[in-house]
Amino acid sequence: AQSVSQHNHHVILSEAASLELGCNYSYGGTVNLFWYVQYPGQHLQLLLKYFSGDPLVKGIKGFEAEFIKSKFSFNLRKPSVQWSDTAEYFCAVNAGTGGFKTIFGAGTRLFVKA
Amino acid sequence: GAVVSQHPSRVICKSGTSVKIECRSLDFQATTMFWYRQFPKQSLMLMATSNEGSKATYEQGVEKDKFLINHASLTLSTLTVTSAHPEDSSFYICSAREWSSGSADTQYFGPGTRLTVL
């Protein structure tokens, strides 16, 4: 069965610091990978996704993620965070073979200090 | 982008009553919709997968008689929490998969419904 683990539950950064949130999944086959963001009081929004091709994926708001197949990882990065990036970030995986179920990680709560 | 709405956004009900939550895809057709439950400070837990015109597929541990799902059209799925109890209080989120070859695996999420059972 698929599973997703996010290494950090809480992260506190100052503005302009660099961000990297870890995500590892367990599934032996083809996967589709996602990062979602949930701003306070708002619903989930898609940040970026990987289906195939270039393993370095660029998303909205300056975020990017790198798929490393050998490490079963899909870490999210941003070179310089802003106060407005304060939110909860979820990594998600679904099986590319048409399993259709998307499994979410536990989430990482990011707080950016102004 | 694709928009998914949920109604109501908040509902408070008495123990023993039933509550219906609607999920609509506003500008696309969704052959598949998903219902999640999110506990405070926790991740989303998939409850069931709903395919238009067929019975929903429930995840292990989710009572199908308690959480009735109906997906009668390509734009509407409903979740009915029957005989609600305080432990059913939670945040319920639906998502819809947009059917197109380039985005068949992208889900769009509704804003969620906060259910409080007294």
Side-chain angles (χ1 to χ4, degrees):
Chain A
Q2 301 159 230
S3 68
V4 181
S5 64
Q6 291 183 238
H7 311 143
N8 314 98
H9 295 296
H10 292 92
V11 173
I12 301 174
L13 294 173
S14 297
E15 274 196 314
S18 65
L19 170 72
E20 181 159 2
L21 301 182
C23 173
N24 285 88
Y25 65 92
S26 65
Y27 183 72
T30 303
V31 291
N32 299 318
L33 299 156
F34 307 83
W35 275 97
Y36 288 90
V37 61
Q38 188 172 30
Y39 296 103
Q42 297 188 30
H43 60 280
L44 279 169
Q45 300 173 41
L46 181 68
L47 264 184
L48 47 79
K49 60 188 177 185
Y50 172 80
F51 289 170
S52 63
D54 188 344
L56 184 60
V57 179
K58 294 195 183 299
I60 60 171
K61 305 187 181 188
F63 286 91
E64 65 178 31
E66 185 174 12
F67 171 50
I68 302 178
K69 189 174 181 180
S70 60
K71 295 184 178 180
F72 297 88
S73 70
F74 190 56
N75 293 354
L76 180 72
R77 299 193 292 248
K78 185 170 183 178
S80 176
V81 294
Q82 300 172 312
W83 176 79
S84 57
D85 293 323
T86 295
E88 188 150 19
Y89 294 82
F90 294 95
C91 180
V93 173
N94 73 31
T97 54
F100 300 122
K101 286 196 304 187
T102 298
I103 305 300
F104 284 79
T108 297
R109 198 171 287 270
L110 171 66
F111 180 72
V112 179
K113 297 184 290 184
Chain B
V3 178
V4 175
S5 71
Q6 277 184 245
H7 177 80
S9 57
R10 290 177 179 270
V11 58
I12 301 172
C13 68
K14 291 182 180 178
S15 186
T17 61
S18 295
V19 174
K20 181 186 281 188
I21 303 170
E22 292 186 347
C23 176
R24 292 181 186 273
S25 57
L26 297 186
D27 49 3
F28 67 99
Q29 294 186 327
T31 53
T32 304
M33 288 183 171
F34 304 88
W35 286 96
Y36 293 86
R37 188 170 176 177
Q38 186 178 28
F39 291 99
K41 298 182 181 180
Q42 294 188 31
S43 188
L44 282 74
M45 181 193 79
L46 180 64
M47 299 174 66
T49 302
S50 165
N51 291 298
E52 185 266 336
S54 63
K55 290 184 179 180
T57 303
Y58 290 80
E59 295 300 301
Q60 193 171 13
V62 178
E63 299 174 61
K64 57 182 70 175
D65 294 331
K66 180 164 189 63
F67 298 100
L68 300 178
I69 291 172
N70 182 277
H71 192 162
S73 78
L74 286 171
T75 59
L76 173 64
S77 175
T78 60
L79 167 69
T80 300
V81 182
T82 62
S83 186
H85 288 101
E87 58 265 30
D88 299 323
S89 298
S90 190
F91 195 55
Y92 293 87
I93 303 172
C94 76
S95 72
R97 181 193 301 280
E98 180 179 17
W99 176 247
S100 71
S101 60
S103 60
D105 290 299
T106 298
Q107 294 180 52
Y108 298 93
F109 286 82
T113 297
R114 183 161 303 283
L115 170 64
T116 303
V117 184
L118 303 176

